[in-house]
Amino acid sequence: NSFILYRPKDIVSGDFYWFTNLNSKIFWAVVDCTGHGVPGAMLSILGINLLQTLIVENKIQDTSEILNKLHLNILQRLRQNELSPSADSMDIALCSYDLTHRILNFSGANRSLYLIQNDCIQEIKGNSHAVGSSIIEEKHENYTFTSHSILLNPGDEIYIFSDGITDQFGGPLNKKFSKRRLLHFLKKHQGKPQRDTKFLLEKEIQEWKGENEQTDDILIIGVTIN
């Protein structure tokens, strides 16, 4: 019971989603690379390949360790410590769900996870730094990522998204859609099949956008635990 709403701003995108099964766990991620179009897409290809290597081939399962190694690998691949400092980076929300023990493991780089549980919506915050940026790294003595473990129950809803949806300009005053408006929408439609939530959210975004140009790549994943 899940949906993926994916609307690139251009033909190719700086946002991407990724998922896989590994033993009794499901992994999924929303990733927002710097830029959009071709530059963002090139960084996306690197991110997809590294996630595949770290999780599927190397079988690393802890989400914080995955982001820590993803960060170091991007620095190495782009040689960001050898050349002039670069801001090329990724914001990422990474989840793994243990089907046997019903434990959700989450780590984020400038991205949060939103959990609707017991009629309440809760923000599980990621770390406030990106993956792969040597400029940002210089400001943090301990540049690592942390993991959050949450016991889930049937009916719990999980949402992760890039900032493209909340930054979309529109409405009567041509303002951003905003995180507050998105969370209100998700809470309002709590309990509905995720395919219905996706349809209604697409309609909501289009009506908000109106005649405005799409601001950025849009990506959101919603999951309901069975």
Side-chain angles (χ1 to χ4, degrees), residues 66-98:
I66 292 166
L67 292 197
N68 289 333
K69 290 186 179 299
L70 182 64
H71 171 69
L72 294 175
N73 271 273
I74 291 172
L75 288 177
Q76 182 180 32
R77 299 292 179 89
L78 299 182
R79 300 176 64 199
Q80 302 215 74
N81 286 340
E82 299 175 26
L83 305 176
S84 58
S86 170
D88 287 336
S89 61
M90 301 176 187
D91 294 342
I92 177 170
L94 175 64
C95 301
S96 75
Y97 180 60
D98 187 320

Side-chain angles (χ1 to χ4, degrees), residues 7 9 18 39 41 51 67 70 91 97 125 134 136 138 158 162 180 187 195 199 201 216 225:
R7 281 191 181 181
K9 173 179 169 61
W18 188 90
L51 285 172
L67 292 197
L70 182 64
D91 294 342
Y97 180 60
K125 292 185 177 182
S134 57
I136 302 174
E138 294 173 355
I158 303 157
S162 66
R180 180 190 61 80
K187 184 67 172 60
R195 63 179 180 274
F199 172 79
L201 183 55
D216 196 359
I225 300 300

Side-chain angles (χ1 to χ4, degrees), residues 8-105:
K9 173 179 169 61
D10 300 311
I11 295 174
V12 291
S13 175
D15 285 11
F16 71 89
Y17 60 90
W18 188 90
F19 62 91
T20 191
N21 294 326
L22 184 63
N23 300 324
S24 62
K25 291 185 177 180
I26 301 173
F27 293 81
W28 69 100
V30 160
V31 188
D32 183 357
C33 301
T34 49
H36 49 77
V38 174
M42 296 301 293
L43 197 53
S44 293
I45 292 170
L46 175 60
I48 291 168
N49 289 336
L50 287 174
L51 285 172
Q52 180 76 15
T53 299
L54 293 171
I55 299 175
V56 178
E57 297 178 17
N58 296 347
K59 301 191 185 313
I60 301 172
Q61 299 191 33
D62 182 79
T63 55
S64 60
E65 185 180 358
I66 292 166
L67 292 197
N68 289 333
K69 290 186 179 299
L70 182 64
H71 171 69
L72 294 175
N73 271 273
I74 291 172
L75 288 177
Q76 182 180 32
R77 299 292 179 89
L78 299 182
R79 300 176 64 199
Q80 302 215 74
N81 286 340
E82 299 175 26
L83 305 176
S84 58
S86 170
D88 287 336
S89 61
M90 301 176 187
D91 294 342
I92 177 170
L94 175 64
C95 301
S96 75
Y97 180 60
D98 187 320
L99 296 165
T100 303
H101 300 98
R102 292 186 170 275
I103 298 293
L104 177 76
N105 193 218

Side-chain angles (χ1 to χ4, degrees), residues 5-9 13 202-203 205-206 209 214 216-219:
L5 174 54
Y6 184 45
R7 281 191 181 181
K9 173 179 169 61
S13 175
E202 284 184 301
K203 182 180 178 183
I205 295 169
Q206 186 56 45
K209 175 176 169 289
Q214 184 170 324
D216 196 359
D217 301 317
I218 289 175
L219 176 58

